[in-house]
Amino acid sequence: MLPALLRKAHEAKTRNEKNLVVWGSGKPRRELLHVDDLASACLVLLEKYDSRKSSMPVPGEDVTIANWPS
């Protein structure tokens, strides 16, 4: 979803369009994660995660496309 939005924005800018048209209702939910946050989480999990004590190591939060970024 994010690469497609970036592409649409780039193409609209190169064509000097005044509006960016995005299709859809905005209701689908997506979970977005920055690569630096993923790397940090991996390090924490490697150092501290114990599978005998936890069944879900990293809870996430999803957002609707219409409400991103929140």
Side-chain angles (χ1 to χ4, degrees):
M1 178 254 338
L2 189 54
L5 283 175
L6 290 171
R7 178 178 167 209
K8 285 181 88 60
H10 174 73
E11 290 174 352
K13 183 174 175 115
T14 58
R15 291 191 295 257
N16 294 318
E17 295 178 359
K18 293 182 180 182
N19 297 313
L20 175 64
V21 178
V22 180
W23 296 350
S25 66
K27 293 181 182 179
R29 302 183 74 81
R30 299 291 183 265
E31 192 169 327
L32 304 173
L33 178 66
H34 190 275
V35 67
D36 290 341
D37 295 335
L38 174 61
S40 296
C42 288
L43 290 174
V44 169
L45 289 173
L46 287 169
E47 294 171 357
K48 301 183 180 199
Y49 177 65
D50 184 349
S51 63
R52 297 169 292 189
K53 296 181 181 178
S54 177
S55 61
M56 187 175 177
V58 182
E61 178 183 347
D62 61 336
V63 294
T64 63
I65 295 169
N67 291 332
W68 178 81
S70 55

